């Protein structure tokens, strides 16, 4: 296994092998990002920061004799403003002391970006590639027919780390396919304990209050079940073992789902701590995706008493339990922890929904749809009390995890384009700065917007035709002669465009968007028929 110093060296080798003259130049003078390979997202060079971080990581590996564990918490549909550390918490009737503590004792990232909805974000985290490239452009729903296995030709961070000596495990929600060949344990995870789909899809056939036309109609129920979608809590192993732990057939079964996931992760951490392999755990909550049902232990425990808020309290408590377990088994200082959400709140299901201070919601590329909480925590390795508005795309977790695991980027095929950036030096150095210059926001197969520095330029906008109905009654409209251009420092809610009349960079931002789109010509995307 190569050290992280070797990672930096091999990047340089890669750059010189290609030849600087072949590498794409920045599309505008506004961009500080530099290409190191034709198939990699250009990044802001920070050679001193990178070298210092590599040294810090090498010292960790030398001292402990192993690579760090990685634990990524993905809360489903949690809004930017839900955790107290991001402005919510007690203020909105659901205190989140555990997340707040991780943020206070780690690095709070205020410009973290997801994709616009569940499946695309998860696919992006695990592949380091934009959903528009892999074809996973929207959630896969019960009844969907996919013509091509999206995982064909893809590498997952779980598979790469497994090959590098990690034990890799997904606990909780998957949502990137449930047929053989597409399941977590088929695509790199050594172990899976969880659910193939989103919370709502398990309970809609038994939720008589919200879905009476289905749940109370035997004929429709029979037809619905004929779709054959899996309704089980599943245990799977890389060798193909796939077992049903429990079939979900009541609201209470689903209400207790996250408790079972928590218990499983606690047990496995205890066991894995006695082994000699580092581990990657993606602990992906089913909550707080609608429809939310409170578990017995947490019913009414939030100040608000609403099921969504009770479930925020539950999720926060479980994050605390899992971090406490890492500490109890002596692994906390060996573990990089990241907490985030896979998209903005689903306002369509209000009041069973989260909170964002921004415009828009899940299903859109407004800030409300794609800006999510981000907390990076690693006791002893990430300085407490840091806050940064440096850009961080959740896809960066792919490259960053590889770097932490000591896996060099030369394992990535040069026939595929990779959109993630190794942000390990940003996260690990006390004064670390982001290496990401642009975040591209895709709406399905269409490039809708881009954040670059504090500017956000929209080519396509989702306009809700009723307040909050950003999915069920929105129209997507191309913008006019100029992109809708907002300065997020003076207008974080994207209410009043500065446009070309107040911004000198309109043409530059347009050129950046065009250059990004051009990478799809050089590296054609897959079409799954979604
Ligand atoms: Ca989601």
């Amino acid at each position: 296994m190569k050290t992280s110093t070797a990672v930096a060296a091999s990047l340089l080798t890669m750059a010189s092998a290609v030849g600087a003259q072949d590498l794409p130049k920045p599309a505008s003078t506004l961009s500080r990002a530099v290409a190191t390979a034709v198939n990699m997202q250009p990044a802001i060079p920070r050679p001193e920061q990178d070298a210092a971080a590599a040294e810090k990581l090498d010292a960790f590996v030398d001292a402990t004799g192993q690579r760090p564990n990685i634990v990524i918490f993905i809360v489903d549909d949690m809004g930017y403003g839900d955790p107290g550390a991001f402005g919510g918490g007690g203020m909105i009737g659901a205190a989140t002391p555990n997340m707040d503590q991780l943020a206070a004792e780690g690095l709070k990232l205020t410009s973290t970006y997801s994709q616009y909805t569940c499946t695309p974000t998860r696919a992006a985290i695990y592949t380091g590639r934009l959903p528009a490239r892999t074809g996973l452009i929207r959630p896969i729903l019960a009844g969907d027919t996919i013509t091509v296995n999206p995982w064909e030709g893809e590498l997952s961070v779980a598979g790469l780390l497994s090959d590098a000596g990690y034990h890799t495990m997904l606990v909780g929600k998957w949502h990137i396919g449930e047929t053989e060949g597409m399941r977590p344990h088929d695509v790199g995870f050594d172990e899976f304990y969880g659910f193939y789909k989103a919370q709502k899809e398990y309970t809609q056939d038994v939720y008589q209050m919200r879905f009476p036309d289905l749940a109370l109609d035997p004929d429709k129920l029979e037809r619905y079940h004929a779709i054959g979608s899996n309704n089980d809590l599943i245990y799977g192993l890389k060798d193909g073992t796939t077992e049903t732990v429990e079939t979900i057939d009541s609201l209470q079964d689903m209400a207790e789902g996250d408790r079972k996931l928590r218990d499983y992760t606690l047990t496995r951490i205890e066991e894995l701590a006695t082994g000699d392999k580092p581990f990657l755990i993606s602990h992906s909550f089913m909550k707080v995706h609608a429809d939310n049902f409170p578990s017995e232990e947490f019913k009414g425990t939030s100040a608000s008493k609403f099921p969504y808020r009770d479930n925020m309290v539950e999720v926060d408590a479980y994050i605390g339990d899992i971090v406490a377990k890492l500490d109890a088994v002596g692994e906390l200082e060996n573990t990089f922890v990241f907490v985030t959400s896979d998209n903005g709140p689903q306002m369509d299901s209000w009041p069973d929904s989260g909170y964002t201070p921004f415009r828009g919601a899940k299903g859109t590329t407004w800030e409300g749809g794609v800006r999510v909480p981000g907390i990076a925590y690693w006791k002893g390795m990430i300085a407490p009390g840091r806050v940064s508005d440096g850009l961080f795309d959740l896809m960066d977790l792919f490259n960053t995890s590889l770097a932490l695991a000591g896996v060099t980027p030369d394992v990535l095929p040069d026939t595929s384009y990779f959109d993630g950036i190794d942000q390990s030096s940003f996260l690990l150095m006390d004064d670390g700065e982001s290496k990401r210059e642009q975040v591209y926001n895709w709406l399905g197969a269409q490039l809708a917007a881009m954040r670059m520095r504090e500017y956000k330029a929209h080519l396509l906008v989702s306009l809700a035709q009723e307040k909050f109905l950003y999915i069920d009654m929105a129209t997507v409209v191309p913008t006019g002669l100029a992109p809708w251009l907002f300065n997020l420092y003076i207008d974080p809610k994207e209410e009043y465009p500065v446009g070309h009349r107040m911004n000198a960079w309109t043409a530059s931002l347009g050129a950046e968007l065009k250059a990004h789109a051009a990478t799809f010509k050089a590296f054609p995307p897959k079409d799954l028929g979604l």
Side-chain angles (χ1 to χ4, degrees):
M1 214 183 286
K2 289 184 193 172
T3 63
S4 23
T5 322
V7 176
S10 88
L11 271 174
L12 287 172
T13 320
M14 212 187 297
S16 58
V18 173
Q21 71 279 8
D22 302 325
L23 294 171
K25 294 193 169 49
S28 75
T29 57
L30 182 62
S31 176
R32 298 161 293 177
V34 172
T36 52
V38 288
N39 67 324
M40 300 275 171
Q41 170 64 29
I44 302 169
R46 302 199 186 278
E48 286 169 23
Q49 176 180 302
D50 287 350
E55 203 173 303
K56 189 172 183 177
L57 195 53
D58 286 348
F60 167 85
V61 174
D62 287 345
T64 61
Q66 70 162 56
R67 310 299 307 188
N69 307 312
I70 299 170
V71 176
I72 299 172
F73 292 104
I74 306 174
V75 186
D76 201 358
D77 287 8
M78 174 171 74
Y80 181 95
D82 278 333
F86 290 80
M91 187 272 281
I92 54 168
T96 56
N98 295 290
M99 282 188 249
D100 300 351
Q101 189 179 347
L102 291 175
E105 295 177 5
L107 166 58
K108 180 166 87 168
L109 296 162
T110 58
S111 291
T112 302
Y113 286 87
S114 66
Q115 304 299 315
Y116 75 126
T117 178
C118 314
T119 301
T121 295
R122 291 157 197 275
I125 292 173
Y126 298 135
T127 63
R129 282 155 50 72
L130 274 165
R133 300 191 196 279
T134 57
L136 289 158
I137 52 176
R138 68 157 171 83
I140 297 169
L141 303 172
D144 265 334
T145 315
I146 299 180
T147 52
V148 182
N149 180 351
W151 287 97
E152 216 166 282
E154 298 294 337
L155 294 169
S156 73
V157 64
L160 290 165
L161 264 60
S162 179
D163 290 347
Y166 272 68
H167 183 78
T168 60
M169 185 166 101
L170 174 70
V171 180
K173 180 181 170 178
W174 173 234
H175 220 194
I176 319 182
E178 60 179 86
T179 52
E180 200 176 333
M182 296 172 59
R183 305 167 304 188
H185 47 300
D186 296 328
V187 303
F189 284 98
D190 295 316
E191 183 177 346
F192 170 57
Y193 185 90
F195 299 94
Y196 291 135
K197 306 180 290 187
Q199 181 143 286
K200 161 185 177 287
E201 296 174 276
Y202 287 88
T203 48
Q204 49 199 8
D205 60 333
V206 291
Y207 192 9
Q208 298 180 358
M209 289 286 282
R210 191 185 279 274
F211 301 91
D213 51 324
L214 171 64
L216 299 174
D217 184 326
D219 177 61
K220 283 195 200 121
L221 267 179
E222 196 181 331
R223 291 169 188 279
Y224 175 75
H225 291 144
I227 293 170
S229 181
N230 188 290
N231 239 48
D232 302 339
L233 172 59
I234 297 285
Y235 171 69
L237 294 175
K238 198 178 222 168
D239 67 8
T241 302
T242 306
E243 292 164 6
T244 292
V245 178
E246 182 192 347
T247 296
I248 304 300
D249 49 20
S250 75
L251 304 184
Q252 208 50 38
D253 282 349
M254 197 69 258
E256 304 301 335
D258 272 301
R259 181 175 50 76
K260 292 162 198 160
L261 300 176
R262 186 271 320 252
D263 291 348
Y264 190 79
T265 293
L266 293 180
T267 303
R268 291 297 287 132
I269 285 176
E270 229 171 82
E271 291 163 356
L272 290 167
T274 64
D276 53 4
K277 281 185 165 194
F279 50 83
L280 163 75
I281 301 176
S282 177
H283 188 97
S284 302
F285 290 95
M286 296 300 286
K287 295 176 176 180
V288 282
H289 191 297
D291 300 305
N292 280 285
F293 309 105
S295 69
E296 277 308 317
E297 193 188 341
F298 288 89
K299 190 180 279 182
T301 52
S302 73
S304 90
K305 314 299 179 199
F306 276 72
Y308 181 97
R309 299 287 192 266
D310 284 352
N311 285 355
M312 274 300 299
V313 171
E314 180 185 354
V315 160
D316 182 72
Y318 292 168
I319 290 175
D321 291 344
I322 292 167
V323 171
K325 176 62 75 178
L326 288 168
D327 200 9
V329 299
E331 291 291 336
L332 191 58
E333 286 169 317
N334 301 334
T335 306
F336 169 76
V337 176
F338 199 90
V339 182
T340 193
S341 172
D342 65 337
N343 47 250
Q346 180 175 293
M347 294 309 291
D348 286 68
S349 52
W350 188 90
D352 190 9
S353 64
Y355 170 67
T356 180
F358 302 116
R359 180 174 184 172
K362 174 184 176 182
T364 77
T365 49
W366 294 109
E367 293 288 283
V370 294
R371 196 154 164 189
V372 292
I375 302 168
Y377 172 89
W378 186 355
K379 191 180 181 186
M381 288 290 280
I382 294 178
R386 285 179 63 203
V387 179
S388 173
D389 77 331
L391 300 188
F392 190 91
D393 192 304
L394 290 181
M395 277 185 299
D396 298 343
L397 287 171
F398 175 88
N399 305 64
T400 303
S401 298
L402 294 190
L404 295 180
V407 178
T408 55
D410 54 18
V411 299
L412 305 177
D414 56 13
T415 46
S416 294
Y417 195 95
F418 289 86
D419 300 277
I421 289 173
D422 170 14
Q423 296 268 35
S424 53
S425 68
F426 169 34
L427 304 182
L428 295 183
M429 298 317 296
D430 294 358
D431 52 357
E433 290 186 84
S434 174
K435 298 184 69 178
R436 180 170 281 282
E437 188 72 304
Q438 303 95 347
V439 171
Y440 306 101
N441 310 117
W442 284 73
L443 201 57
Q446 293 179 294
L447 177 56
M450 176 188 65
R451 166 138 187 216
M452 185 165 166
R453 301 194 186 207
E454 69 268 42
Y455 306 122
K456 175 100 175 260
H458 293 265
L459 300 175
L460 286 173
V461 286
S462 298
L463 301 176
Q465 298 303 303
E466 283 291 348
K467 186 135 183 97
F468 294 171
L469 293 188
Y470 287 101
I471 296 174
D472 286 339
M473 198 158 66
T475 46
V476 175
V477 181
T479 55
L481 183 57
W484 290 12
L485 173 55
F486 300 91
N487 181 325
L488 296 178
Y489 280 166
I490 60 170
D491 179 19
K493 292 168 86 78
E494 300 171 283
E495 291 175 311
Y496 198 72
V498 291
H500 81 297
R501 72 196 185 284
M502 285 173 65
N503 188 288
W505 299 106
T506 313
S508 297
L509 295 169
E512 295 285 342
L513 280 157
K514 205 180 269 182
H516 174 65
T519 65
F520 284 77
K521 291 211 176 71
F523 296 88
K526 277 188 285 188
D527 182 358
L528 307 181
L530 277 177

